[in-house]
């Protein structure tokens, strides 16, 4: 009996059925099976996506940022700073939001109540963070002197705009690179076996 109640409670939680709603439907004469069958499983909480779609997302975010920054810098006047300063941070914020808010095996546990990560996924996560910092450190160390040289060699607002684009590229890479590497290397999700009646 306790196992049935635990299974029922877990299924209600998974489907998002509140206990108040469940009790009201029981009073109306519906069986627990009918109540649960009326609520589909919300798949979006558990959906990680295929490896191909995740890799396309990473390429689209970084490629889109580079495209927008390059077009803004090339199409604006050499001494203009206006279109670059407001637009590049907005595009960077959008890139951070896209890469940091997507479903992964790491945040799926919190959203869907999974039991946790296995040892292989923990090693993949740690490898992603280690590789991200190994890549980001030289990028930041190169971007800093390039920005300083740009400010010294060019004059006017054009130098500040170019330096800002270089700085923004490094600033975007810092928080998003671990998530991008994890998304790139994350294994395909295991499909749930169909329930047999």
């Amino acid at each position: 009996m306790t196992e049935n109640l635990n299974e029922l409670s877990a299924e209600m939680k998974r489907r998002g059925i509140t206990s108040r709603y469940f009790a009201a439907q029981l009073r109306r004469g519906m069986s627990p099976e009918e109540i649960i069958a009326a609520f589909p499983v919300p798949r979006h909480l558990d959906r990680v996506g295929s490896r191909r779609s995740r890799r396309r997302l990473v390429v689209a975010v970084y490629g889109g940022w580079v495209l927008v920054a390059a077009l803004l810098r090339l199409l604006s006047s050499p001494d203009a700073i206006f279109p670059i300063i407001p637009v590049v941070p907005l595009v960077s914020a959008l890139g951070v939001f896209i890469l940091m808010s997507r479903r992964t095996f790491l945040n799926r546990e919190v959203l869907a109540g999974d039991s946790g990560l296995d040892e292989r996924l923990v090693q993949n996560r740690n490898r992603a963070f280690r590789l991200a910092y190994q890549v980001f450190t030289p990028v930041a160390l190169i971007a800093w002197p390039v920005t300083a040289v740009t400010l010294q060699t060019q004059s006017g607002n054009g130098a500040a705009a170019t330096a800002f684009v270089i700085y923004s590229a490094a600033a975007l890479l810092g928080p998003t690179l671990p998530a991008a590497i994890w998304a790139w290397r994350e294994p395909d999700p295991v499909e749930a076996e169909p329930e047999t009646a």
Side-chain angles (χ1 to χ4, degrees):
M1 180 73 179
T2 307
E3 289 180 8
N4 291 339
L5 288 176
N6 288 340
E7 289 175 9
L8 182 63
S9 174
E11 190 65 26
M12 286 172 53
K13 190 174 193 178
R14 190 174 78 132
R15 292 178 186 259
I17 304 172
T18 62
S19 57
R20 181 182 229 174
Y21 177 82
F22 191 80
Q25 296 304 319
L26 283 177
R27 282 193 298 271
R28 289 186 179 146
M30 289 181 74
S31 70
E33 292 80 17
E34 291 173 334
I35 298 170
I36 288 178
F39 275 83
V41 177
R43 299 245 181 240
H44 66 280
L45 291 179
D46 225 7
R47 189 165 179 265
V48 174
S50 69
R51 181 177 286 177
R52 177 179 289 167
S53 67
R54 292 189 311 264
R55 288 182 175 181
R56 285 180 181 166
L57 180 70
V58 169
V59 170
V61 167
Y62 287 139
W65 188 93
V66 169
L67 182 68
V68 168
L71 284 176
L72 282 174
R73 188 64 196 114
L74 292 174
L75 297 178
S76 63
S77 66
D79 219 18
I81 198 168
F82 170 69
I84 294 172
I85 293 295
V87 175
V88 169
L90 287 175
V91 174
S92 296
L94 181 64
V96 169
F97 176 76
I98 289 171
L99 287 177
M100 301 297 276
S101 66
R102 58 172 285 282
R103 306 285 189 244
T104 66
F105 281 114
L106 295 178
N107 65 14
R108 184 183 67 167
E109 176 182 349
V110 175
L111 294 173
D114 279 0
S115 59
L117 303 172
D118 62 12
E119 293 174 4
R120 183 180 51 81
L121 292 176
V122 170
Q123 289 176 353
N124 285 346
R125 180 197 58 201
N126 294 343
R127 187 179 308 129
F129 279 99
R130 187 173 53 250
L131 182 60
Y133 290 117
Q134 288 172 348
V135 169
F136 178 69
T137 301
V139 167
L141 291 175
I142 291 169
W144 175 68
V146 168
T147 303
V149 168
T150 302
L151 288 171
Q152 295 295 323
T153 58
Q154 296 179 4
S155 61
N157 289 337
T162 304
F164 184 75
V165 167
I166 295 169
Y167 171 79
S168 296
L172 173 69
L173 202 61
T176 61
L177 193 58
I181 291 172
W182 175 254
W184 194 271
R185 298 179 54 101
E186 192 173 28
D188 279 329
V190 177
E191 294 296 326
E193 294 179 9
E195 296 178 8
T196 56

